[in-house]
């Protein structure tokens, strides 16, 4: 037990040292203030304004709850001393990771959050079944599952390669990404418009990176204006930034993504003149 505690302490010291080193690097690069602002000071807005649940993931939540209950039962009734230690380790990692799903309970967050508990499920299954099943049967079952997962992976990969237009030219800025010819043409049209207006154009949308990557440009938090990504000032702070861009054009998608600010886009539509459209965007001119 002493060696176990010593190991945990050593890991904690290493983690702390790496954290201090990371913060020191941010400070030396002059990015520490921005890091704190965007990583931490917008958490309240992110947690209260983005609540969303996809119904299909309720089942995953139920399974996780059932797994935690099984944890307790197996720990108390079946597990050996070594198995109990392993269950504690898995639980200490897996249960806090469930916080990842808040406030947006969707497939992506759930898949990441339940990964340690999914591994623990395999471990618990082995712990329970080996008490009453022949080890040969277990090996056959595991082998069957591995082969099944490999076949599913291969089939999915072949399907993706066959039907999805991934960019495979290394020199292309979208190398390895999913970009159709139609999307690439749209990107070129929008970038041509930006060049014609001396780069005084802001794409205020989660799609901004697609258009900015080829030109290596960025407009800070405006490139991914999700609630919670706007830093300490939140929506009001972002509005002040936009007001300061007199003479700029600002592009908005016709419908907001649910994490984007209705307050900001409504303000733009109500206070600035719409001067046209290009591809999926409406064009507004920021007046003085």
């Amino acid at each position: 037990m002493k060696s176990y505690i010593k190991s945990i302490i050593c890991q904690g010291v290493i983690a702390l040292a790496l954290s201090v080193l990371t913060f020191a690097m941010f400070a030396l690069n002059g990015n520490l203030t921005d890091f704190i602002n965007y990583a931490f000071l917008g958490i309240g807005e992110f947690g209260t304004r983005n609540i969303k649940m996809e119904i299909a993931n309720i089942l995953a939540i139920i399974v996780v709850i059932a797994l935690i209950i099984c944890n307790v039962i197996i720990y108390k009734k079946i597990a050996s001393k070594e198995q109990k230690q392993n269950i504690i380790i898995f639980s200490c990692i897996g249960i806090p990771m469930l916080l990842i799903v808040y406030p947006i309970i969707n497939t992506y967050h759930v898949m990441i959050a339940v990964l340690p508990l999914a591994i623990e499920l395999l471990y618990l299954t082995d712990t329970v079944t080996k008490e009453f099943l022949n080890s040969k049967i277990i090996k056959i079952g595991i082998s069957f599952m591995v082969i099944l997962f490999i076949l599913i992976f291969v089939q999915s990969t072949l399907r993706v390669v066959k039907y999805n237009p991934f960019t495979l030219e290394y020199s292309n800025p979208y190398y390895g990404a999913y970009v159709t010819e139609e999307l690439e043409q749209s990107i070129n049209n929008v970038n041509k418009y930006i060049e014609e207006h001396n780069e005084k154009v802001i794409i205020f949308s989660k799609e901004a990176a697609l258009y900015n990557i080829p030109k290596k440009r960025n407009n800070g938090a405006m490139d991914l204006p999700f609630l919670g990504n706007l830093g300490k000032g939140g929506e009001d702070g972002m509005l002040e930034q936009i007001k300061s861009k007199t003479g700029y054009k600002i592009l908005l998608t016709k419908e907001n993504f649910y994490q984007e600010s209705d307050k900001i886009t409504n303000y733009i539509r109500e206070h600035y003149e719409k001067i046209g459209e290009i591809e999926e965007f409406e064009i507004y001119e920021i007046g003085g």
Side-chain angles (χ1 to χ4, degrees):
M1 189 66 178
K2 287 183 179 179
S3 61
Y4 174 71
I5 294 173
K6 185 178 179 181
S7 173
I8 294 296
I9 292 173
C10 287
Q11 291 176 35
V13 169
I14 292 171
L16 179 61
L18 290 173
S19 299
V20 170
L21 180 61
T22 301
F23 276 90
M25 289 176 63
F26 282 137
L28 290 171
N29 292 328
N31 295 322
L32 184 59
T33 302
D34 284 342
F35 170 71
I36 293 172
N37 185 29
Y38 291 113
F40 299 106
L41 301 185
I43 286 178
E45 185 178 63
F46 178 80
T48 56
R49 302 287 302 281
N50 287 313
I51 296 174
K52 177 181 173 66
M53 174 181 283
E54 293 179 0
I55 302 300
N57 288 296
I58 293 177
L59 178 60
I61 302 300
I62 293 172
V63 170
V64 168
I65 293 171
L67 178 56
I68 293 172
I69 294 171
C70 288
N71 253 347
V72 176
I73 294 172
I74 293 173
Y75 183 87
K76 289 186 174 182
K77 302 290 186 181
I78 300 174
S80 65
K81 184 178 179 180
E82 180 184 353
Q83 290 167 342
K84 285 182 178 180
Q85 286 186 350
N86 291 334
I87 289 172
I88 290 172
I89 293 171
F90 275 121
S91 299
C92 286
I93 298 171
I95 293 176
M97 275 193 69
L98 295 177
L99 294 173
I100 290 174
V101 303
Y102 179 81
I104 304 170
I105 304 176
N106 61 19
T107 301
Y108 308 106
H109 288 157
V110 168
M111 286 175 65
I112 296 170
V114 303
L115 183 58
L117 291 179
I119 296 171
E120 183 182 15
L121 176 60
L122 295 174
Y123 177 74
L124 293 178
T125 301
D126 177 65
T127 300
V128 173
T129 55
K130 72 180 182 182
E131 297 292 329
F132 56 88
L133 289 179
N134 183 286
S135 60
K136 186 176 181 180
I137 296 175
I138 294 174
K139 289 177 181 178
I140 292 172
I142 292 174
S143 299
F144 173 78
M145 291 299 294
V146 169
I147 292 171
L148 182 63
F149 279 122
I150 290 173
L151 290 174
I152 292 172
F153 175 77
V154 170
Q155 182 189 31
S156 301
T157 302
L158 291 175
R159 187 175 182 83
V160 165
V161 171
K162 182 177 180 181
Y163 295 106
N164 293 299
F166 285 96
T167 304
L168 300 178
E169 296 177 19
Y170 187 74
S171 59
N172 192 301
Y174 302 106
Y175 173 70
Y178 177 91
V179 179
T180 62
E181 290 182 5
E182 292 81 3
L183 177 57
E184 193 162 9
Q185 183 59 52
S186 172
I187 292 168
N188 291 336
N189 291 341
V190 172
N191 278 332
K192 183 179 178 182
Y193 176 84
I194 294 173
E195 289 171 3
E196 289 172 352
H197 291 81
N198 300 315
E199 301 289 326
K200 296 182 73 173
V201 179
I202 296 166
I203 303 173
F204 192 78
S205 165
K206 69 181 181 67
E207 308 293 340
L210 280 174
Y211 302 86
N212 291 339
I213 285 172
K215 300 301 180 180
K216 297 181 180 179
R217 74 166 80 88
N218 78 83
N219 292 297
M222 295 183 188
D223 291 344
L224 190 65
F226 285 175
L227 294 166
N229 283 9
L230 307 179
K232 182 181 179 181
E235 292 170 292
D236 293 332
M238 179 56 68
L239 277 173
E240 291 304 315
Q241 288 186 49
I242 291 170
K243 291 175 186 177
S244 70
K245 298 290 185 179
T246 303
Y248 274 68
K249 311 290 189 296
I250 189 163
L251 309 186
L252 302 181
T253 51
K254 295 172 184 177
E255 291 185 8
N256 277 2
F257 185 64
Y258 76 94
Q259 283 182 264
E260 293 177 330
S261 169
D262 291 332
K263 178 179 179 178
I264 295 174
T265 53
N266 288 341
Y267 180 92
I268 293 169
R269 289 189 170 101
E270 291 169 7
H271 291 81
Y272 301 132
E273 180 185 0
K274 179 180 176 181
I275 59 173
E277 295 186 5
I278 183 168
E279 299 299 335
E280 62 176 316
F281 299 106
E282 298 173 337
I283 307 171
Y284 292 84
E285 186 162 23
I286 303 174

